[in-house]
Amino acid sequence: MQRWIVLTVLTSALTGLAAPAHAAAPTAAPADDASAIAVTLGDVVIDPKIPSKARVNVSYLCSVADGARSLTVSVEQQDPEDSSSKAFGSSRTPDTDIVCDGTVQQRQLLVQSKTVNWIPGADAVAIATVSNIGTTPSAAADSRQVKLAVG
């Protein structure tokens, strides 16, 4: 029941919050904005040694939180030659790894495909979400379509 409530709150909070692909990295929160929350996707590249893993760079900013906080990254890619084959995976950081102090933080998360290897040069959809339960707004997200390259 609790997961359903958290998912409902997160889904409601994310409606309309996706930043455009050309968005700048989040900047430090103004002194009077204690509830600032933002996330920006950076590069998404395939690990050259393990093609089922992608490295996703993320910048985020959040205020001091009273409740749980997390950073979640998801990547999905359909094989352009086989519509029934999809690579997808997600990664979530533990709340103890998230620094919410009103300054911009940089993270790199590894996303393991649960099905097939990532395909270099093919389009993928990447989504990053930072939640900061206990503040308003409680979450922010950035999503965009990217061509995966081997890094």
Side-chain angles (χ1 to χ4, degrees), residues 24-35:
T27 57
D32 62 344
D33 189 2
S35 65

Side-chain angles (χ1 to χ4, degrees), residues 85-101:
S85 179
K86 265 190 191 179
F88 65 92
S90 66
S91 181
R92 180 184 174 276
T93 61
D95 62 348
T96 55
D97 288 351
I98 300 300
V99 176
C100 286
D101 63 2

